[in-house]
Amino acid sequence: MTRPLTYEDVGTYPLPGTAAPTRVAFSPSGEHLTYLFSGAGSLVQSLYAKPTAGGPAEVCVVPPGAGDTEAGLSLEEKLRRERLRERGLGVTRYAWAKDSERLCVPISGAVYVQDGVGGELREVVPKAAQPALDARLSACGEWLAFVREAELYVVSASGGEPLQVTSGARGTGKTHGLADYIAEEEMHRHAGYWWDEAGERLAFTEVDETHIPEYRILHQGSDSVGEGAEENHRYPFAGAANPKVRLGVVARTGGEVTWLDLEGEEYLARVQWLPDGRVLAQTQDRAQCLLRLFAFDLGSGQRSELLRETSEVWINLHDMLRPLGEGAGVPSEAQGGFLWASEASGFMHLSLRAADGSLVRELTSGEWQVDGLAGIDSEAGLVYFTATAADVREQQLYSVSLAGGEPRRITQTPGLHSVTLDVKRGQFADLCHSRAQPPRLTLRSLTDDAELAVLHEGSADPRVAELDLSPPRMVTLSAHDGTTLHAALYEPEGQGPFPTVVNVYGGPGPQRVQESWGMSVDLRSQLLRQRGFLVIRLDNRGSARRGLAFEGAIKHDMGDLEVRDQVAGVEWLVEQGLADKERVGIYGWSYGGYMSAMALARAPEVFKAGVAGAPVTHWDGYDTHYTERYMGTPQLNPEGYERSSVMAHVEGIKGALLLIHGLIDENVHFRHTARLINALIRARKPYELLLFPDERHMPRGVADRIYLEERIAAFFARELG
């Protein structure tokens, strides 16, 4: 027997079947597979280890003390969790030293080290008033680096007094060794320092934001005032100044810094060391239509350009630059070279590069994209990667020879495969899920995909069987100009036409219609379906994994084509007899909140009610790297910015509008909703407002999330019922 969903079901994490292993890794010896997991099915995780030769998985690190709540976290740690979109508690991060059976486990501002899965957990850096941030072991495992009070420190992994190896940032508004907001939030570069292979030197960033005006956020729901009840953020608004970032190299023992030449480069996107001791850096220009890869001479700090990428659309950053080893399978012309990925063809594909950056050969091609580089077997001359070749809504594992040839598909089960490889032993960990299957972690053979062991079955969660979670139906339809669009339908029982709700994100980046368990545990859509609403998710143009032409169709003009594609989806539903055209609503968060408001304003004949959560209402109020990638700067594209703001179209709103925002949202500031409210007042347009005084961009409080779901469901029941 199944039961209907409740608001508590929808607002409580983890969702059914999703308490799955995360941060899966093989120990350097290959003897264990480790991962974070909650045996109780909660958000509080421990570190587990399973012998790859056989035997049960066992807990090897549990969170000591009060590591199972956010209560004791510093503001810096809470903001870092926001950038990482991290909900888990307890042990939330860990890492093996690259060449040593030693673990680094940071918990609640302290840092612990453990030798092997059976070793004793030792506190190396105690918790202090100022937290130790981004702790990481050197490759050999002998040294531990971390950042505290804006400076970089190194300490022996055996314990002792940490040595401060950088200076001059503390108290000045600068930082050493930390990624800035733009790098973390938009470039997905969460590191601000990098160990060399020998553990003797560290490359690190110096970030200067002192020239950026402070943006103050008050904790209006706080019981106190003053310190602790307000935050100041150096937020780089579109068209304004960016942080000034320098890249330096310092010895593990401190001393003089070698500053590397980044003159003229707007964004430092990626940094890594090569085995030969060179530092590589990827940079972007302000327009993000030029990416350059530099190698640096550490003696002089001077640079040489290995390659450059240009685009008439924009450059999407990736993490697929990988140095090649000197194995027998590496072609002679590529010795000392590297793998690279590029969208020059319109789709992200892999190529083999020589040491000087010149092209040796393209490894993949076609109207599909490579999602990620999974591993390299330099002895066999094979590259392993995940891609959309089988279906743009799936992610499968493939291999291709460094000598060229057709890729070979390895994983066969439909769905999304997140893989971790142990190439030396010919095996991989596969976390696979689909609409019909919750996340399932297995150990498999790289040769033939044979199942070697089962580590986790998401279907064991009793809520999977208890709740009525019918997988949505995948459909394909056409935009007004014939472009193929993918959608998913949550269909209620009975005969249509039904009151209909569009579940939208709509912005560049996420693809939301996938062969994924996340589709089936979209519990808000499922609750609305159970209450008689038809819900549609549709990936409009601008969304990812369909190639640059599909993604770049919205360049310099947001909130127009995306809305028209969503309208095409509604019209298709009406033609099918599924949607009642007089009772259509829309909801979304962040870019989806923007889309909800724009849909009401630009297509009022279609949308009768909308929920706009944390909406970006005018792009001049969002950050540089994200906004300018798609819109250019306000100075160069003033008409586009005006046309793409919700406020420019407020007069068109006829339907009911519910605005939702967290008052301490440091990503999409409440100012966005406040500016829209001013425009609504001037236009004498009615609106409803739901505020969460203690929430940021991603609501975390359980009571807040449950109340949020209750209000959204009640809004649509009233307006479309």
Side-chain angles (χ1 to χ4, degrees):
M1 289 288 293
T2 61
R3 65 169 178 82
L5 284 159
T6 66
Y7 299 123
E8 287 75 13
D9 292 323
V10 183
T12 301
Y13 288 90
L15 297 172
T18 65
T22 62
R23 296 187 179 268
V24 180
F26 285 96
S27 64
S29 68
E31 294 179 358
H32 289 89
L33 187 69
T34 53
Y35 51 88
L36 299 180
F37 181 62
S38 171
S42 71
L43 291 175
V44 182
Q45 304 170 121
S46 298
L47 180 61
Y48 283 70
K50 174 177 172 57
T52 53
E58 296 183 352
V59 176
C60 63
V61 176
V62 296
D68 58 352
T69 73
E70 288 189 326
L73 297 181
S74 66
L75 175 62
E76 293 91 338
E77 291 170 299
K78 290 179 179 178
L79 293 176
R80 186 171 177 82
R81 286 169 61 83
E82 285 289 315
R83 303 287 76 76
L84 293 168
R85 304 297 189 262
E86 193 171 87
R87 289 190 185 272
L89 299 167
V91 182
T92 60
R93 292 187 297 279
Y94 78 98
W96 288 100
K98 181 182 175 184
D99 302 320
S100 167
E101 293 286 301
R102 179 167 279 170
L103 284 161
C104 170
V105 187
I107 301 175
S108 299
V111 185
Y112 299 82
V113 166
Q114 180 168 308
D115 295 328
V117 298
E120 179 186 354
L121 189 67
R122 297 180 285 107
E123 187 180 60
V124 175
V125 183
K127 186 172 183 177
Q130 296 298 321
L133 300 173
D134 196 20
R136 277 181 277 138
L137 289 165
S138 60
C140 64
E142 293 298 317
W143 305 101
L144 179 76
F146 63 93
V147 178
R148 174 174 280 162
E149 293 187 277
E151 300 290 3
L152 186 60
Y153 287 78
V154 172
V155 64
S156 169
S158 300
E161 187 67 25
L163 173 68
Q164 181 180 326
V165 298
T166 62
S167 60
R170 181 176 298 138
T172 67
K174 300 178 182 180
T175 62
H176 285 150
L178 290 178
D180 57 275
Y181 172 85
I182 287 294
E184 286 208 274
E185 180 67 27
E186 309 302 358
M187 299 186 220
H188 305 292
R189 174 172 66 77
H190 300 287
Y193 72 89
W194 301 264
W195 279 105
D196 71 354
E197 292 287 321
E200 295 297 328
R201 295 173 295 183
L202 300 105
F204 69 96
T205 58
E206 177 184 85
V207 177
D208 181 0
E209 298 177 316
T210 56
H211 56 290
I212 299 175
E214 289 186 337
Y215 186 87
R216 178 164 296 177
I217 296 175
L218 298 177
H219 289 233
Q220 300 282 14
S222 174
D223 292 332
S224 60
V225 295
E227 187 175 355
E230 60 184 42
E231 303 171 15
N232 294 315
H233 297 267
R234 306 278 186 178
Y235 192 94
F237 290 102
N242 271 312
K244 298 174 183 177
V245 180
R246 290 205 294 172
L247 181 62
V249 175
V250 66
R252 169 178 54 78
T253 54
E256 186 176 351
V257 174
T258 300
W259 294 104
L260 308 183
D261 179 16
L262 292 178
E263 184 68 30
E265 304 304 309
E266 185 72 25
Y267 295 114
L268 178 63
R270 299 287 186 269
V271 177
Q272 64 193 97
W273 289 85
L274 288 177
D276 64 9
R278 289 183 297 166
V279 174
L280 296 185
Q282 297 177 45
T283 66
Q284 287 182 309
D285 67 340
R286 178 111 190 197
Q288 297 175 61
C289 290
L290 169 65
L291 182 143
R292 304 171 78 185
L293 174 63
F294 294 111
F296 291 92
D297 177 272
L298 298 188
S300 64
Q302 297 301 302
R303 68 193 190 191
S304 58
E305 184 179 281
L306 296 185
L307 59 81
R308 63 171 55 201
E309 296 280 349
T310 60
S311 174
E312 294 183 359
V313 181
W314 52 68
I315 299 287
N316 285 311
L317 296 171
H318 61 77
D319 293 298
M320 290 184 272
L321 191 164
R322 197 71 59 84
L324 293 171
E326 298 180 352
V330 178
S332 59
E333 63 271 29
Q335 293 285 332
F338 56 93
L339 289 177
W340 179 249
S342 168
E343 285 183 295
S345 68
F347 292 84
M348 188 71 78
H349 281 293
L350 294 172
S351 62
L352 180 61
R353 299 278 172 165
D356 63 0
S358 61
L359 177 66
V360 175
R361 68 178 59 88
E362 303 288 350
L363 296 179
T364 63
S365 63
E367 293 190 356
W368 50 272
Q369 77 162 34
V370 173
D371 287 323
L373 190 57
I376 303 171
D377 187 338
S378 56
E379 292 300 319
L382 292 175
V383 177
Y384 296 92
F385 62 94
T386 53
T388 64
D391 188 318
V392 71
R393 293 162 295 191
E394 297 187 17
Q395 179 171 279
Q396 301 286 346
L397 175 64
Y398 298 81
S399 68
V400 69
S401 172
L402 289 171
E406 288 298 311
R408 177 179 72 91
R409 179 175 170 178
I410 297 173
T411 50
Q412 300 297 320
T413 305
L416 297 182
H417 293 261
S418 177
V419 299
T420 304
L421 272 59
D422 182 356
V423 172
K424 290 181 180 179
R425 291 156 192 83
Q427 57 190 7
F428 68 101
D430 179 23
L431 187 67
C432 175
H433 56 99
S434 66
R435 284 175 298 153
Q437 176 190 293
R440 182 173 188 263
L441 180 63
T442 57
L443 187 63
R444 313 186 75 84
S445 166
L446 268 176
T447 303
D448 56 7
D449 195 37
E451 186 176 286
L452 306 176
V454 178
L455 288 82
H456 172 75
E457 291 277 12
S459 56
D461 185 335
R463 294 176 298 168
V464 173
E466 178 184 344
L467 300 172
D468 178 17
L469 302 178
S470 300
R473 176 165 65 99
M474 297 284 206
V475 298
T476 298
L477 55 97
S478 295
H480 295 138
D481 65 353
T483 300
T484 298
L485 302 174
H486 297 300
L489 306 182
Y490 299 79
E491 298 171 277
E493 294 182 358
Q495 188 69 33
F498 303 102
T500 298
V501 176
V502 176
N503 171 348
V504 69
Y505 179 76
Q511 179 196 46
R512 299 183 72 243
V513 179
Q514 298 180 320
E515 188 56 63
S516 158
W517 181 246
M519 299 276 287
S520 295
V521 288
D522 176 355
L523 295 191
R524 184 182 297 162
S525 293
Q526 293 280 17
L527 182 139
L528 290 172
R529 176 189 66 81
Q530 290 181 7
R531 297 187 177 187
F533 291 90
L534 171 68
V535 181
I536 179 173
R537 290 170 65 152
L538 180 145
D539 282 332
N540 52 250
R541 275 169 286 185
S543 60
R545 303 184 84 222
R546 292 281 302 274
L548 266 183
F550 188 90
E551 186 180 337
I554 65 171
K555 184 171 183 176
H556 289 180
D557 188 13
M558 285 177 159
D560 179 16
L561 182 59
E562 307 99 295
V563 171
R564 287 190 276 130
D565 281 356
Q566 295 295 332
V567 167
V570 173
E571 291 174 345
W572 182 84
L573 291 173
V574 172
E575 291 170 2
Q576 304 301 308
L578 293 171
D580 180 348
K581 66 178 181 180
E582 300 303 323
R583 294 189 293 167
V584 177
I586 184 169
Y587 72 78
W589 201 269
S590 197
Y591 200 104
Y594 165 70
M595 283 286 291
S596 294
M598 283 296 258
L600 285 186
R602 301 189 82 160
E605 72 286 356
V606 175
F607 298 100
K608 313 304 180 185
V611 175
V616 178
T617 60
H618 198 307
W619 290 104
D620 66 5
Y622 203 55
D623 69 53
T624 52
H625 193 271
Y626 180 93
T627 308
E628 294 172 11
R629 185 186 322 152
Y630 311 120
M631 291 292 295
T633 64
Q635 295 87 345
L636 295 176
N637 184 24
E639 296 85 3
Y641 272 76
E642 179 60 26
R643 185 172 59 247
S644 297
S645 74
V646 181
M647 281 73 89
H649 307 279
V650 160
E651 291 288 348
I653 294 177
K654 297 178 182 177
L657 172 62
L658 171 60
L659 296 168
I660 308 174
H661 221 120
L663 288 184
I664 59 171
D665 189 337
E666 84 295 341
N667 182 347
V668 181
H669 303 132
F670 174 67
R671 171 177 174 244
H672 284 274
T673 289
R675 292 172 73 185
L676 176 56
I677 289 172
N678 277 336
L680 291 165
I681 291 170
R682 288 191 295 269
R684 301 178 70 177
K685 299 289 182 178
Y687 68 93
E688 296 178 47
L689 181 63
L690 175 59
L691 299 178
F692 291 97
D694 297 332
E695 294 290 2
R696 299 188 185 276
H697 193 57
M698 185 174 73
R700 291 177 178 271
V702 175
D704 288 350
R705 292 200 303 265
I706 292 171
Y707 186 67
L708 170 69
E709 300 305 330
E710 189 175 11
R711 289 292 301 274
I712 290 175
F715 175 80
F716 283 127
R718 185 183 73 236
E719 299 298 333
L720 304 178

